[in-house]
């Protein structure tokens, strides 16, 4: 299988961490691919009309996207029932927490585009303020409402840990650990897992 993307993307990295946690690390090849908000990656567009990373090429040559689909696919082919259980209550709790983490990641990536990719003088301050508020409220929810759920290694805790690392990497000034002790302790512990160490981001 070929996973197209760049580990700096939290969505690519959470997919790769899932592959490692599911025991598929040797079966998934990371193929470097990057995207820009104002241009088209022709290779990716052939596999996905969305043209975003990650895209997974399965062993059967079928393209899968986005990260949530890829992560669930890895669990499916590995026969892993712990990262995403079949039992309804547990499953949908994990999927809801995963959705929160992915949405946090989307807000953080969009904020990065606005601050770093949009030309100076054209940045939209109201948009920046709203994106930052989304990040703040999501972080507060993760810290106050999801501490117990984050103790389990699941698709949700993987997504959360990866996105927090991305925020460290791209938005260190947000100082997300301040007044969020539970979330900080979770991230510190999860970051020591082999799957996270083996997908560590390059120096900023």
């Amino acid at each position: 299988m070929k996973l197209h993307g760049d580990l700096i993307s939290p969505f690519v990295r959470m997919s790769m961490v899932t592959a490692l946690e599911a025991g598929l690390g040797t079966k998934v090849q990371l193929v470097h691919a990057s995207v820009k908000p104002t241009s088209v990656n022709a290779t990716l567009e052939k596999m996905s009309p969305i043209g975003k990373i990650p895209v997974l090429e399965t062993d059967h040559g079928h393209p899968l996207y986005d990260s949530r689909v890829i992560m669930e696919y890895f669990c499916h082919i590995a026969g892993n029932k712990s990262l995403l259980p079949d039992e309804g209550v547990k499953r949908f709790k994990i999927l809801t927490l995963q959705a929160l983490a992915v949405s946090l990641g989307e807000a953080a990536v969009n904020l990065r585009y606005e601050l770093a990719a949009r030309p100076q003088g054209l940045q939209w301050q109201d948009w920046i303020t709203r994106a930052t508020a989304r990040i703040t409220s999501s972080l507060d929810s993760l810290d106050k409402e999801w501490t117990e759920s984050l103790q389990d290694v699941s698709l949700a805790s993987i997504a959360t840990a990866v996105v927090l690392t991305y925020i460290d990497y791209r938005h260190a000034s947000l100082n997300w650990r301040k007044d969020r002790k539970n979330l900080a302790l979770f991230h510190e512990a999860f970051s020591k897992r082999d799957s996270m160490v083996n997908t560590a981001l390059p120096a900023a």
Side-chain angles (χ1 to χ4, degrees):
M1 291 176 284
K2 295 179 180 179
L3 183 67
H4 295 261
D6 186 321
L7 287 177
I8 292 176
S9 162
F11 313 111
V12 175
R13 191 181 181 208
M14 67 179 66
S15 300
M16 195 68 215
V17 170
T18 300
L20 294 172
E21 291 286 352
L24 298 172
T26 60
K27 298 180 180 180
V28 180
Q29 175 189 358
L30 182 63
V31 179
H32 184 267
S34 60
V35 293
K36 296 180 180 179
T38 57
S39 60
V40 175
N41 182 315
T43 300
L44 289 177
E45 193 176 40
K46 290 178 182 178
M47 295 182 286
S48 164
I50 302 171
K52 296 170 67 174
I53 54 177
V55 176
L56 178 72
E57 280 188 90
T58 71
D59 287 337
H60 302 289
H62 301 143
L64 297 180
Y65 47 87
D66 60 4
S67 57
R68 281 172 284 193
V69 174
I70 293 169
M71 293 165 78
E72 185 165 351
Y73 179 75
F74 285 153
C75 291
H76 171 72
I77 62 172
N80 185 296
K81 300 294 186 182
S82 60
L83 295 176
L84 185 62
D86 287 334
E87 194 275 314
V89 173
K90 292 180 179 178
R91 181 183 184 86
F92 287 101
K93 194 169 187 178
I94 287 171
L95 290 175
T96 300
L97 177 53
Q98 182 191 20
L100 173 59
V102 169
S103 296
L104 171 60
E106 289 171 346
V109 169
N110 289 335
L111 180 61
R112 168 68 179 176
Y113 281 152
E114 185 71 19
L115 295 175
R118 190 179 294 276
Q120 292 294 320
L122 296 179
Q123 295 170 345
W124 188 3
Q125 187 55 53
D126 287 346
W127 195 97
I128 292 171
T129 299
R130 183 66 185 111
T132 304
R134 284 194 175 101
I135 292 171
T136 299
S137 63
S138 297
L139 290 168
D140 288 343
S141 177
L142 287 168
D143 180 71
K144 297 174 182 176
E145 301 168 13
W146 292 98
T147 300
E148 184 177 349
S149 296
L150 287 171
Q151 301 314 303
D152 297 326
V153 179
S154 69
L155 297 190
S157 57
I158 290 170
T160 301
V162 167
V163 169
L164 292 175
T165 301
Y166 177 82
I167 294 174
D168 277 337
Y169 193 78
R170 292 303 198 199
H171 303 293
S173 62
L174 292 179
N175 192 21
W176 66 262
R177 291 172 179 79
K178 186 176 185 298
D179 299 325
R180 299 187 184 99
K181 182 179 180 180
N182 294 329
L183 197 56
L185 289 173
F186 155 74
H187 183 253
E188 180 182 8
F190 203 97
S191 294
K192 295 175 182 176
R193 297 186 67 82
D194 288 345
S195 60
M196 296 287 285
V197 173
N198 291 334
T199 59
L201 300 184

